[in-house]
Amino acid sequence: MSEVIHTIEQMKEFSKKAILAQKSIGFVPTMGYLHEGHLSLIQKARSQNDIVVVSIFVNPLQFAPNEDFNTYPRDFEKDRILCEQNGVDVIFYPGYEEMYPQSYQTYVEVSFLSKPLEGKSRPTHFKGVTTIVLKLFNIIKPTRAYFGKKDAQQLIIIKKMVEDLNLDVEIVPCEIKRDADGLALSSRNVYLNAKERSQAICLKKALDKAKELIDAKIYDSQTIIQNMKNVINSYDLARIDYISINSTDCLSELKEVVLGKTLISLAVFFGKTRLIDNMWI
Ligand code: AMP
């Protein structure tokens, strides 16, 4: 049975006891509506720790007013069952008032890394992410925390926050899980209608094109990006937000791909639905 905890006080009490008993805590932060991508993080946490805690919290702070906070898919009962089936010990499921009481006023921001890529389209997003993740780390006190490479910039930013603020948690990166046709799993994929869903594979197709060029020793970023654009533009419902080639350490734009140090990432709209994907070279 997964225990469901709603309050910060009870969650802290649980972690305190676990730490006193010298148990390691693996933590998987999520916004719920769990899919195989989330489950792969949970399974990794399960294999590496004595205790697994999953948080489910659709964090209002990381959504801009024009974004999908209200419509973001939620299904706690299904999530609870999936957690149970995957050996989760505790589901931390706090309410909004619990995490952000009316008097709330403290934020944490990883300044430069939060600006490019996703930060350009979503200027307040990562401040919301780092604030909630730091709060969750302080409440749960995990030994290890699991983050998907699907949200590459988020992973890089969280690692930087942990380094800069000297947090005692190991950040474990996890591979991207995909549907059979290559579309990266995401809770937001449910927004896609059938035609959009069939075209949503263009993100992976564009990344495959980039990989093909790099394998042929073509490293020029502009050439790679132009080829990726051509792939996406051959799908009539897709609208490119950005395609970018950046260094994995400081996220600066690269003129040329550097093997082992490059992130190729893109965001594409299908109607109002914004999908992201990436590849670590
Ligand atoms: P979310 O619920 O979207 O905030 O995601 C929670 C965690 O699951 C984040 O660390 C994500 O990067 C990770 N995640 C989401 N989708 C995938 C995926 N397709 N493969 C691997 N990890 C994922």
Side-chain angles (χ1 to χ4, degrees), residues 6 11 28 31-32 70 72 82 120 127-128 137 142 172 183 186 227 271 273 279:
H6 296 280
M11 189 64 240
V28 182
M31 298 204 298
N70 286 322
Y72 195 85
L82 285 170
K120 264 191 205 156
K127 182 174 162 187
F137 283 178
V172 184
L183 174 64
S186 163
N227 274 273
T273 307
M279 183 167 60

Side-chain angles (χ1 to χ4, degrees), residues 21-49:
Q22 300 202 319
K23 297 206 185 292
S24 59
I25 301 175
F27 172 45
V28 182
T30 81
M31 298 204 298
Y33 214 71
L34 303 181
H35 51 63
E36 286 294 331
H38 299 111
L39 297 183
S40 70
L41 272 56
I42 292 173
Q43 285 151 12
K44 198 163 184 179
R46 184 67 283 167
S47 71
Q48 296 180 340
N49 300 278

Side-chain angles (χ1 to χ4, degrees), residues 29-32 35 37-38 40-41 72 146-151 154 174-177 184-187:
T30 81
M31 298 204 298
H35 51 63
H38 299 111
S40 70
L41 272 56
Y72 195 85
Y146 297 79
F147 289 87
K149 287 172 143 183
K150 158 89 186 342
D151 299 285
Q154 168 173 286
C174 302
E175 294 306 319
I176 303 175
K177 287 280 164 192
L185 296 177
S186 163
S187 307

Side-chain angles (χ1 to χ4, degrees), residues 131-151:
T131 299
I132 191 67
V133 169
L134 182 59
K135 277 170 73 70
L136 290 166
F137 283 178
N138 283 331
I139 295 163
I140 294 159
K141 300 196 176 61
T143 319
R144 301 181 187 87
Y146 297 79
F147 289 87
K149 287 172 143 183
K150 158 89 186 342
D151 299 285

